[in-house]
Amino acid sequence: MATVTELDIAKLLRNDVRLVYEWEFFYHSLNLELNDTPAIERSWNSSRSSYSLMRNLIGQFVSEKGSNATIEALAKVLEACQHNYIKDVLLERFSPTARIVPFDKDSLEGATGQNADTMPEDTEEDRQLQQKTSGSVTILQLVDTKQAGKGRLLVCINHLLHMLSLIGNRPVAIISINGKQRSGKSFLANQFVRYLKYSEKGDNWLDKTLNSDFEWRGDLQRVTSGIQIWHEPLYVNVGGKEIAVIIMDTQGLHDQKTGAQENAIIFGMSVLLSSVFIFNEKNVADDSLQYLRSFLEFAKFATGGSVSEDCLTFQKLILLMRDFQADGFTFGYYDDSNCPPNQVTNLKNKIFELTSDMHPEAIETRSAIQACFEKVGVYAMSSPGKQLPNKFKESRNWDPDFVYSIIDFVTTFFNPEAIKNSTRRVFGQEITGNQLKEYATKWAQLIQEAEGVIQSKTIFESTAELFYTNKIEQSLREYRTTMNNHLECNPAGLVASDLNEFHDILVNSIVAGFSSGKVLGGPSMLDKYKKKLLQSLNGVKDDFFSVNDANVAAEQQRILREKELIEAQQREAELQRQQQETKQLAIANAESGHKRALHELGTAQGRVQQVMANRHNYKRPVEKNKKHRLFGIIHTDTTYYTDWVYDHGQYLQALQAAEADVHRLQQVVNEAEYQLNVTRNS
């Protein structure tokens, strides 16, 4: 069986920057035992090389899967992670059945022809993967090549994604500053940071020293390359609600080392990400507006080539006019409804007004720029004076009008109310840091895979897809929440027809909300995602109907158990009644027997008393001679007569019989009393 070393896989995967900055999701998708997660995390935090990180991940995959660690198995993981591009490259490069094995000197030399001690040098991608804790971080880098006048752009937004993860479900505003080189963009970006970091503390933010800032200097050499962001989100508290602010600085346009395509990509990526886009120019004339329009063509999916209802317009453009000098205008901010105090003529309207004698190209330029943004404003800023750069670091060396302009500009656009109105939105809906992370990832992937050649349709459809996908998720959350509440309010379950009716009403309401507002991509795109929404809702519906069926069955079981319990209680009560009746009858019988025995005992005791009282009535007859008759004076014709004599023996016999009867009856009474007590206590 063919084998591939983990080194070969790591070399291939490290070129997929998106996979590297989503390494944790990729790692967990490998379905590994998590006992080595801390070691992998330490590798991420300490290693300077994405190659080393990928090698650690694939090495862990090989050690866990053993003989099952094949190219095909890894391809399935990449497909599950939706890294189809790198999956296809992997299957094209290696046999699907090839086993991935740990490297050693023999296998390494046999498979790759390299020496085992040879480790690839850190690439520019590796260097850009390092997260910083101060100053600026590059997220889009122009990398010079050996070919004169040629270069390539490295997309490495892992730090931006990390920041958006920290922001989480809070709103986010991204303020981007763009324009020609050597026009003071980085200097101004530092003022934004100072204000956001120190103004709430009451400090003099204008002269605060940052440990590390957006680098700038006063000579002709380029300083900023590509796109840089401040290394941390800066938070503004608006009515108890935190809004995160990200400051973005860009490479100056039209330098000697950057071609038009690279400039367009830098400009386009910046305007894609930002909610407030500051175009910094010293002299705003028709050529500057034409440059602005030409770079907006990179992302002309904003209007789809024309002004339409489904355009993905950008949010806010501030045309910052540096070193402004013009009669009749004062320094300050101008837009459709605002002018500086005591200013009559509106500079913004003057720049963008369309007149009959204007060249068609000038009209088209102005119309196209305003069509790309929801709001356009102009700020006229004073000159800083003629101090040398080394003296320009402190505001006391600036021209007073310039100090006023800086303070006014920063406080105008970074006060809490302005930040509240500058949060990032997509198709008019405010999004959170987590949601912007999805969009940024998609845009960066498109730029990387297309090598800078991006079609407007691709950008628009991918953004609309994310927008509709998020909207579907929101709709599903609404459906789940409402159905959960409905079922909780009806714990006994509902009749299937009633639940179906509630489901239909809820779905109609959700679909109506889903279809309201702008119809992105026209009716066909809306219908496409509406069908997906209905499929998702019907899929979720089965879960709730199953729960309802279970609730109905549980209620029926509860009713049955309650009925059985009532019947058992009734049977128990009847049994107790019968037992009570039996007991009362037994007690009555026992009491009757006891009374009868007492009565008979009393009668017997009376007889004893009667015997004792009539003891002299117990006599026997005795025959006597007449001569013995009393006094001897009674004469009869017979010789003998009968006399009655008290018989003590007869008395004793009668008394003993009566007492024996009392004794017998006393025992009967005692037995009856005992039975009565037993019956009563049973």
Side-chain angles (χ1 to χ4, degrees), residues 356-367:
S356 57
D357 60 344
M358 187 176 288
H359 191 279
E361 185 177 351
I363 295 176
E364 185 180 353
T365 295
R366 287 162 172 77
S367 299

Side-chain angles (χ1 to χ4, degrees), residues 31 124 134 216 245 249 291 338 341 374 397-398 407 430 445 450 453 479 481 533 549 593 595 625 682:
N31 293 322
E124 187 65 30
S134 65
W216 65 278
V245 182
D249 186 21
Y291 282 133
N338 294 288
E374 297 174 3
N397 295 320
W398 305 348
I407 295 175
E430 184 179 77
Q445 184 185 17
V453 182
Y479 178 85
T481 300
L533 172 62
D549 291 342
K595 288 180 180 179
N625 290 325
S682 62

Side-chain angles (χ1 to χ4, degrees), residues 33 65 71 104 131 311 348 361 452 469 491 529-530 663:
E33 295 294 332
K65 298 296 182 182
I71 294 294
D104 55 35
Q131 295 185 6
C311 61
K348 186 264 177 181
E361 185 177 351
T469 300
Y529 288 102
K530 191 189 296 183
H663 179 72

Side-chain angles (χ1 to χ4, degrees), residues 184-216 230 232 234-236 245 247 392-395 398 406-407 410-411 414:
K185 299 185 303 301
S186 299
F187 163 79
L188 197 57
N190 287 325
Q191 310 313 315
F192 302 161
V193 173
R194 289 185 174 94
Y195 177 78
L196 291 171
K197 286 179 70 71
Y198 301 112
S199 62
E200 287 188 356
K201 301 176 182 178
D203 296 338
N204 180 16
W205 57 270
L206 199 61
D207 288 314
K208 271 289 182 181
T209 301
L210 300 173
N211 293 333
S212 178
D213 54 16
F214 290 103
E215 186 180 356
W216 65 278
W230 188 250
E232 63 180 349
L234 303 169
Y235 293 96
V236 174
V245 182
I247 305 300
F392 193 71
K393 296 289 185 180
E394 298 179 4
S395 62
W398 305 348
I406 290 292
I407 295 175
V410 175
T411 54
F414 289 88

Side-chain angles (χ1 to χ4, degrees), residues 44-57:
W44 169 259
N45 292 328
S46 62
S47 173
R48 287 185 54 82
S49 172
S50 60
Y51 175 81
S52 299
L53 174 64
M54 277 299 167
R55 198 181 126 197
N56 286 338
L57 289 176

